[in-house]
Each structure stands twice: as C-alpha cells, then as structure tokens.
Amino acid sequence: MLNEQTAVNNYYQKVLDGLTADQVQEKALAEFDDFVEKLRLKGVNVIVVDDTVDPDTPDSIFPNNWISFHDDGRIGLYPMFAENRRLERRSDIIEKLRDQFSVSALVDFTEFESSNVFLEGTGSMILDRPNKIVYAAMSERTQEQPLDEFCEAFGYEAVKFVANQDVDGKRLPIYHTNVMMCVADEFAILCVDSIDDQDERKAVIDKLEGTGKEVISISEDQKHHFAGNMLQVRSKDDELYLVMSGAAYQSLNKDQINKIEKYCPIIHSSLDTIEALGGGSARCMMAEVFLPKK
C-alpha cells in the first residue's frame, strides 16, 4: 500500500482507487515477477530476497535507497528520511550475499538519521563508477554532509545541483536524483529542464560530456513517466542492456530510442502499480551488486 511517510515529498505516489489491498498486492507481485523473468531471459543475474511480514515495510521493493555495493568489497548503508524505511535494513541480506561475494567492510552513514540528515543511496546519488563521479540533486533526502562523507570514504568527486518539478504551481526539489537522470557507460539520460539554474545545468552537461558521454535529453513530462529512472545492467555473457519500465519506454520518442539503442538494447516491463503506489520505478528496484565474487 501507499507509504504515507514518503508521500510528503515524493510527488509521484498516487492512490489507486477501486482496488483492495489484496488486489494491489497481487498486481504488484505479478509486475515484479514479470520484471525479474525478463531480466533473467536476457542472462542478467537477479538475486531476489523475500520480504518479511513483520515489520511492515511498504517500500522494501526499492532496496537501492538503503544499500550500495562496491567493487572493492565494501557495502554502504544509508540514512533514510522515512522512519518505516529504516526497517528495510536487514543484516540477513548482507549475510546471504557473503555466501557468493567477498565483503571487506561496511561503511555506515546511518548515524545521520539522529540529526535528521539524509542520503538515500543510489536514489540520491547517480554513480559514474569508472570515473569516480557522483551526480546529486540536493533535496530533503539528499543532503550535503553525508554526501561529502560518502565522497571522502569512496574517493568520488561530487557534482551537486538542484533539480525541480512543478507541484501545485511551485517549483519544488525532486526527491531523488535517479528520477531525472541515468548514467550509462557511453551515454546519459538527463531531464535538462528540471535544472533551473543555468550555471548548474551547464556544469552537469559539461561534466557528462567531458567524460565522453552523449547526453540524451528527456522532457519533464517524460520524467514524470519515469523516463529518467533507468539502469544499465550487464548480462552473464557481458552484454549491456538499459532497463526501464513500460511507461518510461512508451513515453520516449523514436529518436530517443534510436540514440539509446545505438549503445545497447532496451529491456522494459510494465510496472504501473508499483510506480503509482511506490513512486519509484525500474532503477529503484535494483541494487546493483559490484562486489567481487568468491
């Protein structure tokens, strides 16, 4: 069901009228299962961890906000805005991953919650891992102090900016950076118009292009259909794919699709129920694992 604690600043969440809680759960589960099947059919290794009945964690389908995995064996743990989302952090998930991967250390930023300061993982931060650059749209859920500490701990350079959207006639900050941009190996998806400050806009584009990436611009309306919430993944056969929801794919025009498919094929799957109630999409559902294999 809709998480009221996150709805205060996630303007993408909606109430689905006319459906019972059981019907909503059934639809969301079917979307999740179809999504996983499409990824696996393309050879993408998907690790699924079952949720628990207790405690109640309505947004646990979006694990990328509380945890990140790095190729040096470290795991990042992040401070969460909503109190009920903090319950998503589960040590048993980390222990399960230790069976397959080498974990060298946990880097824990969660102490910031006691000061009401937040940084919600790879929702808040778009990581260009090869170039050690993090793009971050500053907001109530993406704040400077933990971002700076992340950069110091993991050796990243931060590109900070403000991304806005129209809410009841006002321009208000977008809650997560991954709603409006995606960085892939040779290209980036960017909602340019959401960065109102012209200097910040230029700085983001210059940094992306300076690292050799083609910037593929999406409109604010396309962003509202989760066209920024995408993730590039790699299959067991070393093939790259760009993953997105059906709504995101349908919002793209032919030219944008052609530009993306110049670099890699697209995998898309309907996530309408999950997007409406959770206010997140395909990228939010994947916490990509870069840990070294044992």
Side-chain angles (χ1 to χ4, degrees), residues 20-45:
T20 66
D22 287 344
Q23 288 172 326
V24 167
Q25 178 69 18
E26 185 179 341
K27 286 172 69 69
L29 183 59
E31 290 174 0
F32 179 88
D33 289 343
D34 287 347
F35 182 49
V36 170
E37 183 180 7
K38 286 185 178 182
L39 291 171
R40 286 177 170 164
L41 283 172
K42 294 296 185 180
V44 179
N45 181 28

Side-chain angles (χ1 to χ4, degrees), residues 244-263:
M244 66 188 73
S245 72
Y249 182 78
Q250 289 161 19
S251 77
L252 298 176
N253 61 44
K254 193 170 184 178
D255 182 58
Q256 290 166 324
I257 292 171
N258 288 339
K259 285 180 178 179
I260 292 168
E261 291 185 332
K262 237 180 11 179
Y263 299 103

Side-chain angles (χ1 to χ4, degrees), residues 9 78 80 102 117 135 143-144 167 197 247 273:
N9 52 25
Y78 298 96
M80 308 280 282
S102 295
V117 176
Y135 296 89
Q143 298 188 33
E144 196 159 11
V167 181
D197 184 283
T273 307

Side-chain angles (χ1 to χ4, degrees), residues 12-285:
Y12 294 81
Q13 289 176 255
K14 304 178 184 71
V15 176
L16 292 179
D17 295 324
L19 293 177
T20 66
D22 287 344
Q23 288 172 326
V24 167
Q25 178 69 18
E26 185 179 341
K27 286 172 69 69
L29 183 59
E31 290 174 0
F32 179 88
D33 289 343
D34 287 347
F35 182 49
V36 170
E37 183 180 7
K38 286 185 178 182
L39 291 171
R40 286 177 170 164
L41 283 172
K42 294 296 185 180
V44 179
N45 181 28
V46 182
I47 301 169
V48 176
V49 179
D50 290 334
D51 198 5
T52 56
V53 176
D54 184 46
D56 181 30
T57 52
D59 285 337
S60 58
I61 198 171
F62 304 134
N64 76 310
N65 299 139
W66 70 267
I67 194 166
S68 67
F69 306 100
H70 302 267
D71 60 8
D72 62 0
R74 289 187 292 170
I75 293 176
L77 302 175
Y78 298 96
M80 308 280 282
F81 171 81
E83 290 185 15
N84 63 1
R85 292 216 63 192
R86 299 169 195 175
L87 302 173
E88 295 172 25
R89 294 192 291 258
R90 289 170 47 189
S91 59
D92 64 303
I93 293 176
I94 296 172
E95 292 310 309
K96 179 177 180 177
L97 289 169
R98 285 183 192 272
D99 294 338
Q100 299 181 51
F101 302 96
S102 295
V103 177
S104 60
L106 300 181
V107 185
D108 191 343
F109 303 100
T110 61
E111 63 183 16
F112 282 104
E113 288 171 353
S114 62
S115 305
N116 290 318
V117 176
F118 311 109
L119 181 72
E120 297 195 334
T122 54
S124 292
M125 302 182 294
I126 306 299
L127 303 182
D128 180 347
R129 294 176 187 256
N131 293 301
K132 289 289 187 176
I133 298 168
V134 52
Y135 296 89
M138 310 311 293
S139 71
E140 197 171 12
R141 300 202 204 177
T142 305
Q143 298 188 33
E144 196 159 11
Q145 190 177 355
L147 175 62
D148 289 345
E149 289 204 12
F150 169 88
C151 289
E152 183 176 353
F154 285 94
Y156 277 72
E157 171 195 356
V159 178
K160 304 171 187 176
F161 57 96
V162 175
N164 293 314
Q165 64 182 17
D166 291 321
V167 181
D168 298 328
K170 299 177 184 177
R171 293 289 280 174
L172 297 178
I174 291 171
Y175 76 111
H176 277 162
T177 316
N178 72 5
V179 169
M180 51 77 62
M181 76 179 296
C182 159
V183 172
D185 63 336
E186 295 184 278
F187 65 97
I189 309 295
L190 179 67
C191 182
V192 175
D193 291 342
S194 67
I195 308 175
D196 295 335
D197 184 283
Q198 294 299 313
D199 290 337
E200 291 184 347
R201 180 185 296 187
K202 183 176 184 302
V204 172
I205 293 173
D206 286 351
K207 182 62 75 171
L208 289 167
E209 292 181 341
T211 53
K213 299 186 191 303
E214 179 181 358
V215 176
I216 301 171
S217 181
I218 57 170
S219 69
E220 293 201 64
D221 181 65
Q222 289 173 321
K223 169 186 63 65
H224 195 70
H225 290 86
F226 296 98
N229 199 244
M230 305 172 176
L231 182 67
Q232 191 176 55
V233 301
R234 189 180 298 273
S235 75
K236 297 171 186 175
D237 297 324
D238 213 32
E239 295 289 332
L240 291 172
Y241 296 92
L242 189 67
V243 183
M244 66 188 73
S245 72
Y249 182 78
Q250 289 161 19
S251 77
L252 298 176
N253 61 44
K254 193 170 184 178
D255 182 58
Q256 290 166 324
I257 292 171
N258 288 339
K259 285 180 178 179
I260 292 168
E261 291 185 332
K262 237 180 11 179
Y263 299 103
C264 63
I266 293 170
I267 301 173
H268 60 89
S269 190
S270 174
L271 302 171
D272 293 350
T273 307
I274 292 169
E275 288 175 334
L277 285 172
S281 188
R283 194 275 169 266
C284 303
M285 296 168 65

